[in-house]
Amino acid sequence: MAILTQSGRTALAEFVASQPIFIGWGRGDVSWGDNPPAEPITSTALLDALGYRKASRIKFCQPDSDGAIEVPTGKFTLVETPTNHIYLEFNFDFDNALGETLREVAVMVGTQPKAGLPEGQYYFTPDELDSAGSLMLLEHRKPLFRDQGVRETFEFVLSF
């Protein structure tokens, strides 16, 4: 039986980390209420996208029971050497999707903003993209209202 080796998993993580990585967020479906449905593995896009934010940090990490990074899948420590785990941090600005209710977030790889947009722009509405990219991670969540004075931060670890 063939297996995907550790070095193969690290190679996949290195490839993904070298691509443009964004987080997308959207309205989802208001009928979900406070009990969002399970995420279909066949999903390819957000249901009702509001915007996409470029990753603030993309780093390799490794499992560590004393690690400072804590996500639902465990604790991790940042490392300089490539591993099969990628730490992603996304920091939204105060005005991104202000006044909207979010019910879905997604990590997108290969996102391509349209040409001619201002250099240094990190938040994009769907109409400002040539391609939203490939959906790598999808989370349906309880409603999150984007209130004035709140700057959202999301952290994920992708493991291969």
Side-chain angles (χ1 to χ4, degrees):
M1 175 194 327
I3 61 164
L4 180 58
T5 65
Q6 188 66 38
S7 63
R9 293 170 191 269
T10 299
L12 284 172
E14 285 181 287
F15 175 75
V16 169
S18 74
Q19 303 301 303
I21 301 177
F22 284 66
I23 188 173
W25 57 10
R27 293 179 191 96
D29 186 335
V30 70
S31 71
W32 295 346
D34 285 339
N35 298 307
E39 299 83 0
I41 196 167
T42 56
S43 296
T44 59
L46 290 168
L47 183 65
D48 188 5
L50 286 166
Y52 298 84
R53 179 89 185 171
K54 187 175 181 179
S56 304
R57 287 200 302 168
I58 302 170
K59 299 284 187 181
F60 291 102
C61 61
Q62 64 187 18
D64 180 352
S65 60
D66 294 324
I69 298 166
E70 188 170 355
V71 294
T73 56
K75 290 185 174 187
F76 294 83
T77 296
L78 296 180
V79 295
E80 295 299 319
T81 314
T83 69
N84 64 308
H85 305 282
I86 306 171
Y87 169 74
L88 305 170
E89 181 181 85
F90 304 92
N91 297 309
F92 285 91
D93 286 338
F94 294 105
D95 62 346
N96 296 156
L98 186 62
E100 294 283 355
T101 299
L102 310 172
R103 293 176 188 84
E104 55 181 348
V105 295
V107 173
M108 310 296 293
V109 175
T111 303
Q112 295 297 319
K114 290 183 177 176
L117 294 172
E119 192 167 322
Q121 180 175 343
Y122 292 97
Y123 185 77
F124 302 87
T125 57
D127 62 317
E128 293 177 310
L129 298 180
D130 278 334
S131 171
S134 297
L135 185 128
M136 292 285 294
L137 178 145
L138 176 63
E139 178 185 7
H140 293 166
R141 51 180 306 121
K142 289 183 179 186
L144 171 66
F145 181 72
R146 288 288 296 138
D147 197 3
Q148 184 176 5
V150 176
R151 186 174 183 181
E152 307 294 344
T153 296
F154 290 87
E155 297 175 296
F156 297 98
V157 172
L158 293 179
S159 296
F160 297 88

